[in-house]
Amino acid sequence: STRVQYNYANWHLSMKNYDEALKLYLHTISIDPTDRDSMPLHHAGQILLYQGRYDEAQRYLAKAVAGYFSPLVMAEEEVWHDYALSLWFANDVHGAIENFKN
């Protein structure tokens, strides 16, 4: 199930196994037919941002800000912040400034 894969990816993330966590988040995203759960999209984007893969991070974080947020699990502001950072590092200064406002 997507939730099991997501939780396993979270464990790898907590252990700082970033490559394995990313692989599992991407797998989780690939088996979610709605592509609306923001959490795996957000974490994949965070890892890509950390790795300096800004264009890829931007793609996943753009989907994350358009997806479903559970306020009990994650703060919406954190997702918007990370999306704005990915835009900044991808040299989209205007887009970054607009999204930092969110």
Side-chain angles (χ1 to χ4, degrees), residues 3-80:
R3 191 56 42 200
V4 170
Q5 291 294 311
Y6 174 74
N7 289 335
Y8 190 43
N10 284 343
W11 180 80
H12 277 285
L13 183 62
S14 72
M15 300 302 291
K16 299 185 180 354
N17 298 331
Y18 300 119
D19 291 333
E20 187 64 23
L22 179 59
K23 184 174 99 177
L24 290 164
Y25 287 127
L26 295 178
H27 178 68
T28 301
I29 292 163
S30 75
I31 61 176
D32 177 13
T34 64
D35 207 22
R36 302 261 311 144
D37 185 352
S38 289
M39 294 185 298
L41 293 163
H42 179 229
H43 288 310
Q46 283 180 313
I47 293 169
L48 292 164
L49 191 61
Y50 176 75
Q51 293 177 336
R53 297 161 61 183
Y54 305 122
D55 291 333
E56 291 174 86
Q58 180 183 347
R59 240 184 357 260
Y60 287 102
L61 293 166
K63 288 182 180 182
V65 297
Y68 170 75
F69 297 96
S70 173
L72 300 175
V73 178
M74 83 199 279
E76 183 176 351
E77 299 83 22
E78 185 178 339
V79 182
W80 284 104

